[in-house]
Amino acid sequence: MPAKLNVETLQSVFQTRPDIFAGIQEAADTPARVGLFNEIASFVYERIATASDHGSTQDDDGPAAKRRRVDIAQVQPSQQTQSNGSTAGGGVSLDAATSEQVLLEVKDISASAPQRKKYDVCFTKNFLYARVSGSSTPVQGIVYPWKEIEHIFYLPVPEKSTVQHNYVVLPRNSYLPTRTAKPAAGAAPTSPTALEPFVFTVPGAAPKPGSIGGASAKTAEAVSDSYSTLFHWALATSLKSAGNHSCSIVASDPKLFHSVTRQAHRPTEKAVHVKAFRGSKDGYLFFLPTGILWGFKKPIVFLPLDRIVALSFTSVLARTFNIVVELDVDESGNVEKEIEFGMLDKEDFEGINANYVQRHGLADKSMAEKRKAKRELAENNKTTGGEDDANGTGEGKAENAQTAGMTELEKAQWEAEQRLQDEEDEDEEDYDPGSEGESEGSGTSSEEEDDDEDAEGGEDDDDDENDLDGEGMDED
């Protein structure tokens, strides 16, 4: 007898996500898959029952917290809905969003975060949300009160042959890099229902016939020459109507910053992004008027200019370099103090430094004390053997003044020349002119010794020059 889906259990588990239940029914086309789906449903059902029996216990730190990733969309009864539609527990009330009239609906929009799927994007008086086509219920986790949205960006999608743009909607507390470790004792725990960024893509063409609905559909027709004009109008109008005057749509501008690297897919268009890695994940950096955004893989990171303490360049090699951004962290300690992006193309070094770091007055802390200490320690081990510099503080200030505005490679060459000059000064200090004439023949002996010292000094100079050349080869 062929295996059958345990429909009753599946419906109970996914009662608020009929789209998932329908997907399971469609995918359960073999006995092995049917058995797997039944086991998953039974396990989740048992976890829900256990959590209900014990209430909110220490299981919240264990598997019970992980079950939230299975999209079981339930708002706890104890979470009272606030005036802006959010709940006391940090989530969003689906009932509040569903109860409002849909002013504008744009169908079949491709989203890439927090979930990769096509949705209908809906605008109401107090909410922006996504819902599955044919459904009247918003998708849990993609419901955004207008007053909770802090940033919206309009950015071209990289490496596409046809022009496409991403809208990046960043709600409050969703975009700064946070630590993965558990919060320290006494620190406020991160809400498991915190909203994630919403990223959706629009083509350069006009909306398809019949894809626009809602009470304001006729008004929207006047601004529907393209998806971009439609969404710009809808987003700006909704924010203003909801009283959110601090948020506006920020677009990338090649006049403010663009990469010198030519795009293979659209060679006539200037790229406003730079390829960069965050750890092992590859992505794109956008240097925007209000901050630096890294996307479009999760977690999306945005670093506002007013939170950046300094931007420094590290690991400057022949073809690539890294940047480290130091942030003004909050008291909770959940935000990372520094975040590093790696493997940027060396051709974009000057553009980022001149057009962004210097333009926005960010402190270039490539000579920051902690990095400077590591560099000096390595240099001392190679040259002087770790001798202390009695005038290190004063010379450090003079060094910073003289190297201001130099690139990393120019600084390295300048430092090597300084070492050669210091060694020559030491040789001159060791020379004692009073030793000449103390005894007959001593002048000849001294001259011979000086010749020997000069010869040795020349060899040292040659060695140092070879070392500098060698460093250059390594960087190449």
Side-chain angles (χ1 to χ4, degrees):
M1 183 175 180
K4 294 184 179 180
L5 282 173
N6 191 338
V7 177
E8 182 178 353
T9 303
L10 285 166
Q11 286 180 333
S12 177
V13 170
F14 299 110
Q15 57 182 332
T16 59
R17 291 299 304 272
D19 56 315
I20 295 180
F21 176 67
I24 291 175
Q25 287 183 309
E26 182 178 350
D29 52 3
T30 64
R33 290 184 177 181
V34 170
L36 177 62
F37 289 141
N38 286 339
E39 289 180 7
I40 293 173
S42 299
F43 174 76
V44 176
Y45 184 83
E46 292 174 0
R47 298 303 302 173
I48 294 174
T50 302
S52 300
D53 293 340
H54 292 85
S56 179
T57 64
Q58 59 182 339
D59 286 344
D60 289 341
D61 294 332
K66 297 180 181 179
R67 76 174 184 272
R68 296 186 180 93
R69 300 179 63 87
V70 192
D71 293 327
I72 304 175
Q74 292 182 340
V75 178
Q76 299 299 330
S78 60
Q79 295 180 334
Q80 298 180 353
T81 303
Q82 301 174 354
S83 60
N84 64 353
S86 61
T87 61
V92 175
S93 171
L94 296 184
D95 293 338
T98 306
S99 64
E100 292 192 358
Q101 180 187 24
V102 176
L103 302 177
L104 180 67
E105 178 186 21
V106 186
K107 300 178 180 179
D108 296 329
I109 297 298
S110 297
S112 56
Q115 300 177 23
R116 186 176 294 275
K117 190 174 181 179
K118 277 196 173 184
Y119 293 109
D120 296 344
V121 178
C122 299
F123 296 74
T124 69
K125 179 181 178 181
N126 293 302
F127 296 95
L128 168 70
Y129 65 80
R131 66 187 184 190
V132 178
S133 181
S135 172
S136 61
T137 305
V139 178
Q140 175 71 19
I142 318 183
V143 182
Y144 304 91
W146 290 113
K147 291 185 177 180
E148 291 295 312
I149 296 175
E150 286 193 341
H151 303 279
I152 299 179
F153 299 106
Y154 176 72
L155 307 171
V157 180
E159 300 182 358
K160 295 288 185 180
S161 56
T162 58
V163 177
Q164 299 178 13
H165 284 82
N166 278 339
Y167 282 93
V168 183
V169 179
L170 302 181
R172 199 181 312 276
N173 301 324
S174 68
Y175 49 84
L176 290 175
T178 56
R179 303 180 188 275
T180 56
K182 292 184 178 180
T190 303
S191 172
T193 55
L195 292 172
E196 296 183 39
F198 182 30
V199 181
F200 59 93
T201 307
V202 296
K208 298 178 181 178
S211 62
I212 301 176
S216 301
K218 289 186 177 180
T219 307
E221 290 180 359
V223 291
S224 297
D225 295 336
S226 67
Y227 277 101
S228 298
T229 56
L230 173 62
F231 273 103
H232 268 60
W233 169 79
L235 291 168
T237 303
S238 299
L239 288 168
K240 183 178 179 180
S241 299
N244 187 346
H245 302 289
S246 61
C247 179
S248 60
I249 302 173
V250 176
S252 56
D253 187 352
K255 295 180 181 179
L256 298 177
F257 175 82
H258 68 271
S259 172
V260 298
T261 304
R262 186 180 181 183
Q263 295 191 93
H265 297 79
R266 301 197 298 270
T268 59
E269 180 182 333
K270 292 182 179 179
V272 292
H273 66 273
V274 176
K275 291 184 179 180
F277 279 78
R278 186 188 175 201
S280 60
K281 290 185 178 181
D282 61 325
Y284 306 97
L285 281 175
F286 293 85
F287 294 90
L288 303 170
T290 56
I292 303 172
L293 184 138
W294 183 85
F296 293 99
K297 293 186 177 180
K298 297 172 64 175
I300 293 171
V301 174
F302 176 62
L303 310 176
L305 286 177
D306 56 8
R307 294 294 297 265
I308 296 177
V309 175
L311 187 152
S312 57
F313 301 101
T314 63
S315 303
V316 180
L317 304 176
R319 294 182 176 87
T320 63
F321 66 97
N322 297 356
I323 64 172
V324 176
V325 183
E326 182 180 347
L327 300 175
D328 181 14
V329 299
D330 56 15
E331 295 180 358
S332 67
N334 292 331
V335 178
E336 294 183 7
K337 184 175 177 60
E338 286 189 344
I339 180 171
E340 183 173 18
F341 302 101
M343 300 297 291
L344 281 73
D345 195 310
K346 182 65 177 299
E347 292 184 354
D348 290 313
F349 182 93
E350 292 298 336
I352 295 173
N353 184 39
N355 298 333
Y356 200 81
V357 174
Q358 296 182 12
R359 172 183 294 175
H360 291 287
L362 302 179
D364 182 354
K365 295 184 67 175
S366 295
M367 300 297 290
E369 290 301 321
K370 59 182 180 181
R371 295 188 181 88
K372 180 181 176 182
K374 292 181 180 179
R375 175 181 55 78
E376 289 180 341
L377 178 60
E379 290 176 354
N380 288 338
N381 290 336
K382 293 180 181 179
T383 57
T384 63
E387 292 182 1
D388 294 334
D389 182 5
N391 299 321
T393 303
E395 291 181 358
K397 292 180 179 179
E399 177 180 326
N400 287 338
Q402 294 183 27
T403 58
M406 291 185 180
T407 66
E408 296 295 328
L409 297 179
E410 291 172 342
K411 288 177 183 178
Q413 183 176 0
W414 181 86
E415 290 164 2
E417 293 174 352
Q418 288 298 113
R419 288 199 300 270
L420 294 176
Q421 184 63 43
D422 291 342
E423 290 176 0
E424 292 176 358
D425 293 342
E426 290 176 0
D427 291 340
E428 292 178 0
E429 291 175 359
D430 292 339
Y431 173 67
D432 184 6
S435 62
E436 293 185 2
E438 291 182 357
S439 61
E440 293 183 1
S442 61
T444 304
S445 176
S446 298
E447 291 174 359
E448 292 175 355
E449 292 176 358
D450 290 342
D451 292 339
D452 293 338
E453 290 178 358
D454 291 340
E456 293 174 358
E459 293 177 357
D460 292 339
D461 292 344
D462 292 339
D463 291 339
D464 287 334
E465 292 177 358
N466 291 334
D467 290 341
L468 178 59
D469 295 338
E471 292 175 0
M473 292 290 290
D474 292 338
E475 291 180 350
D476 293 336

